[in-house]
Amino acid sequence: VNFGKMTNGTTTTIGTGGCGPTALANVYRNITGRTDVTPTTVANMAIDNGYTTNGGSNAGLFTEGAGKLGLATQRIGPNDLGNALSRGDSLILSGVKKGSGSPYTTSGHIISVKGMKNGKAIVQDPMKSSSTTMPLSNLTAGLNKAWAVTGANGYGNMSWDSSSNIGYGPLR
């Protein structure tokens, strides 16, 4: 399903203001193995609970909102990303583009990370339809906020195919 053109409950669409809900839907899928929570589901929850700001998501989506989905989050710093991934946590990262190779945009972007493969982070970018890998240094450059995410009972990421990603891809 291409979620890009679906509304996020405001005047914007998932494709223009839905990277946060899409990242959280990816993390939910990584941790639970379930597909019942979509970017639209999360966007509607964000609108209903005040987790939006200026057409995008605010930090409440990744703390209280994640909790409503049965997930537990913890704010972590840039130096903690590798350790969190080693424990099996998924990550939600918010940042602004700094340098080449950055997964973020110049206006700010939210992505998820589901693990490590061959020493690189498996990045689930909502603007892409498949996962990519990149060095952790690309993720920390421009990083504003990071959350380590597990199931509320502490279980970590599932063994999904590394190319599995919910993304809205390019808008047509």
Side-chain angles (χ1 to χ4, degrees):
V1 175
N2 183 336
F3 292 97
K5 295 182 181 178
M6 294 181 181
T7 180
N8 72 359
T10 65
T11 57
T12 61
T13 64
I14 298 291
T16 59
C19 54
T22 305
L24 185 53
N26 267 319
V27 166
Y28 177 86
R29 181 178 177 186
N30 295 344
I31 292 171
T32 67
R34 295 172 47 184
T35 59
D36 58 317
V37 171
T38 68
T40 304
T41 307
V42 178
N44 289 332
M45 177 185 64
I47 297 296
D48 293 346
N49 291 280
Y51 306 139
T52 61
T53 307
N54 300 323
S57 304
N58 64 40
L61 180 61
F62 310 114
T63 54
E64 295 170 26
K68 290 178 185 294
L69 296 175
L71 305 175
T73 61
Q74 177 184 357
R75 276 288 302 271
I76 59 173
N79 296 330
D80 301 319
L81 302 184
N83 288 336
L85 291 169
S86 295
R87 286 192 308 264
D89 297 354
S90 287
L91 304 177
I92 294 176
L93 308 178
S94 171
V96 177
K97 185 175 185 91
K98 273 201 177 162
S100 64
S102 172
Y104 312 112
T105 64
T106 55
S107 59
H109 190 44
I110 300 168
I111 62 171
S112 57
V113 182
K114 65 187 279 176
M116 298 288 286
K117 181 177 183 180
N118 299 325
K120 293 184 176 181
I122 303 169
V123 176
Q124 296 171 299
D125 184 339
M127 293 192 306
K128 297 184 166 91
S129 57
S130 62
S131 299
T132 58
T133 59
M134 65 180 56
L136 286 174
S137 60
N138 289 24
L139 302 177
T140 57
L143 180 67
N144 289 331
K145 293 181 182 167
W147 294 268
V149 188
T150 62
N153 63 358
Y155 58 89
N157 94 21
M158 305 292 284
S159 58
W160 282 92
D161 174 338
S162 65
S163 65
S164 178
N165 187 47
I166 302 171
Y168 43 80
L171 298 178
R172 299 186 230 290

